[in-house]
Amino acid sequence: NAGVTQTPKFQVLKTGQSMTLQCAQDMNHNSMYWYRQDPGMGLRLIYYSASEGTTDKGEVPNGYNVSRLNKREFSLRLESAAPSQTSVYFCASSEGWDEQFFGPGTRLTVL
Amino acid sequence: AQRVTQPEKLLSVFKGAPVELKCNYSYSGSPELFWYVQYSRQRLQLLLRHISRESIKGFTADLNKGETFFHLKKPFAQEEDSAMYYCEGSIYNQGGKLIFGQGTELSVKP
């Protein structure tokens, strides 16, 4: 089992460009999450999906959109990237509110 | 407001010394609490959860509901314990109440 996978691993964007971060899990988990990790700020929840077909805002949703494409996949979209969105993005999945399994992360730089 | 606070950004100890990473929480309900660890160039992984009351890699963490803290302890630190540690709280059946602390970097020196 691959667990949680994310693509791409690295990305550099110019201000105003758009992109989609992809996440997939093969553990048949209902819940999936997107976090951003910034120095001194820890992990902050952007969006989550408690089950297929549902999504909800987390702590820092502004500037992002998500799609729960099916049970396996949960994508994060930046419509118009800003330098403040430079961060490391982690996807995670869990069964209910139990242990979360994390992906390897995507390092995004917005110039 | 729901809050998980790790007051120390960096904790530096010598090998063999005791370690205590602090986690204070403020929740309106009864949260489930977890410790996650991120070793260099690796993904975050679960270290401990309070309901299991187990010891992993020599670490323990007891939930103190009266004082609302969930500190992570190890009696004798090892160099391989050097990593980022995150405390996390979540409440069942309350969507969005997943909160991570700011993280504490543990550095164990030889």
Side-chain angles (χ1 to χ4, degrees), chain A residues 2-5 33 35 37-38 40-45 48 57-59 90 96-105, chain B residues 9 32 34 36 38 42-46 49 51 84 86 88 90-103:
Chain A
V4 180
T5 58
Y33 316 85
Y35 294 91
Q37 183 185 42
D38 301 292
M41 304 291 284
L43 283 162
R44 291 180 294 170
L45 184 64
Y48 70 99
K57 295 178 181 179
E59 182 184 356
F90 287 99
W97 303 109
D98 202 0
E99 175 187 359
Q100 294 180 63
F101 293 83
F102 285 84
Chain B
K9 287 187 177 180
E32 298 294 332
F34 304 82
Y36 285 84
Q38 185 180 26
Q42 294 186 28
R43 63 186 72 190
L44 279 89
Q45 57 187 286
L46 179 69
R49 70 187 83 191
I51 58 173
M84 280 293 294
Y86 291 95
E88 186 247 326
S90 62
I91 295 185
Y92 292 121
N93 302 319
Q94 290 193 32
K97 298 297 188 289
L98 284 163
I99 303 174
F100 276 84
Q102 300 91 329

Side-chain angles (χ1 to χ4, degrees), chain A residues 32-82:
Chain A
M32 296 186 73
Y33 316 85
W34 276 106
Y35 294 91
R36 58 178 291 172
Q37 183 185 42
D38 301 292
M41 304 291 284
L43 283 162
R44 291 180 294 170
L45 184 64
I46 304 171
Y47 271 94
Y48 70 99
S49 171
S51 62
E52 184 179 354
T54 68
T55 61
D56 284 286
K57 295 178 181 179
E59 182 184 356
V60 289
N62 292 344
Y64 306 94
N65 286 300
V66 291
S67 296
R68 184 74 182 266
L69 303 169
N70 47 56
K71 194 170 186 178
R72 289 188 64 250
E73 299 172 289
F74 189 39
S75 62
L76 179 71
R77 182 160 179 85
L78 287 71
E79 290 291 350
S80 180

Side-chain angles (χ1 to χ4, degrees), chain B residues 52-83:
Chain B
S52 61
R53 295 180 170 272
E54 57 193 344
S55 173
I56 302 292
K57 298 183 179 182
F59 285 97
T60 58
D62 290 324
L63 179 59
N64 186 310
K65 291 187 177 181
E67 300 287 336
T68 62
F69 62 75
F70 185 55
H71 300 337
L72 184 68
K73 300 178 183 180
K74 185 169 184 176
F76 307 104
Q78 303 299 315
E79 289 180 68
E80 55 266 29
D81 295 329
S82 295

Side-chain angles (χ1 to χ4, degrees), chain B residues 1-6 23-33 50 62-71 87-89:
Chain B
Q2 325 285 7
R3 191 171 297 167
V4 175
T5 305
Q6 294 178 248
C23 173
N24 303 307
Y25 70 91
S26 171
Y27 267 84
S28 58
S30 295
E32 298 294 332
L33 290 155
H50 89 270
D62 290 324
L63 179 59
N64 186 310
K65 291 187 177 181
E67 300 287 336
T68 62
F69 62 75
F70 185 55
H71 300 337
C87 183
E88 186 247 326

